[in-house]
Amino acid sequence: MNYKIIVTVLMFFTAASCEATQLEELTSSLQNWLNDQQRVPEHFSFSNGVLVANKSLLSGGEIHFKAKGNTCISYAPHRYFDKHTLTIAKALFSECQVLLTNTKHRNSRDAYGKLIDFGKYKNSSSNAFILAYSSTVESFSIYQIHGFAKEKRTTEQGRKADIILSEGHVFASKRTLNIAQCLNNTLGINALVYGRDVHELGGTHNVLNSLAPVNSQFFHIELSRELREQLITNNQLLKQFSLCLIS
């Protein structure tokens, strides 16, 4: 019997069990906070409607919430890596109730050696809040904002894209198609739909593909560097971008 293999397997299942428990506990504490914002959750500080994870929460994270607004979540999971995505997500937050973002770089690791990449990391404050929020609303949308470089794309379609929209898989709903049409018509850009117009950057490995609640709709939004720079310098363009998403 190979005891090293047994020990490795046991360590894996122990870590997975601990992570699941931590996510459940964090979700529960955030549900309590949504019901009573005087009850600041453990591992967070709270000021002016913003929860910020302290050092005791390995995943880190920042949660903005307001009582009024559309039932949607604006989400910048890579604020340090995908330049300007947090600024763009904050603009979208003017329409939504929630803004989520990371406070640790995507190349940081937790106590188990796992990368704290909020696009893939299950045991995060953002995921816990999404699960908690789902119990307070009938339905909601999650708009996850990413950035890409055209010159790094592997297909001609990808190199020509300004935006690549998906729902984390190759099948696009009518709503995604409508968003793409709105962006193309009103912004005068090249917004492509993953699975129909382009076959890269579809968010197919994103953790929300399996974790997003059944009463939510997940939109994976990739923005080219050129478009991100245009959006942050043109308020009218940024406003129209937001309106196309939530319409």
Side-chain angles (χ1 to χ4, degrees), residues 90-181:
K90 282 183 175 179
L92 180 57
F93 176 52
S94 67
E95 307 292 339
C96 296
Q97 282 190 298
V98 182
L99 167 67
L100 302 176
T101 189
N102 60 311
T103 55
K104 292 189 176 183
H105 196 280
R106 64 187 296 178
N107 291 329
S108 302
R109 294 183 182 272
D110 67 9
Y112 303 105
K114 290 186 176 181
L115 287 172
I116 305 175
D117 175 348
F118 270 25
K120 298 181 174 66
Y121 189 72
K122 182 177 181 180
N123 194 33
S124 71
S125 56
S126 288
N127 288 336
F129 187 86
I130 289 169
L131 295 174
Y133 182 70
S134 71
S135 67
T136 68
V137 295
E138 184 177 348
S139 62
F140 65 105
S141 301
I142 305 166
Y143 303 106
Q144 195 177 79
I145 310 295
H146 296 264
F148 73 93
K150 290 185 178 184
E151 66 272 14
K152 293 183 179 180
R153 303 286 37 92
T154 59
T155 64
E156 182 180 357
Q157 295 90 338
R159 288 188 289 272
K160 291 181 178 179
D162 294 309
I163 299 179
I164 298 176
L165 295 165
S166 80
E167 295 170 51
H169 48 70
V170 297
F171 304 105
S173 68
K174 184 177 180 180
R175 188 173 172 202
T176 295
L177 299 178
N178 289 342
I179 290 172
Q181 184 176 359

Side-chain angles (χ1 to χ4, degrees), residues 189 225-235 237:
I189 60 171
R225 182 190 303 114
E226 293 82 359
L227 181 59
R228 279 175 276 145
E229 291 172 353
Q230 290 177 46
L231 288 172
I232 66 164
T233 56
N234 187 326
N235 288 335
L237 196 70

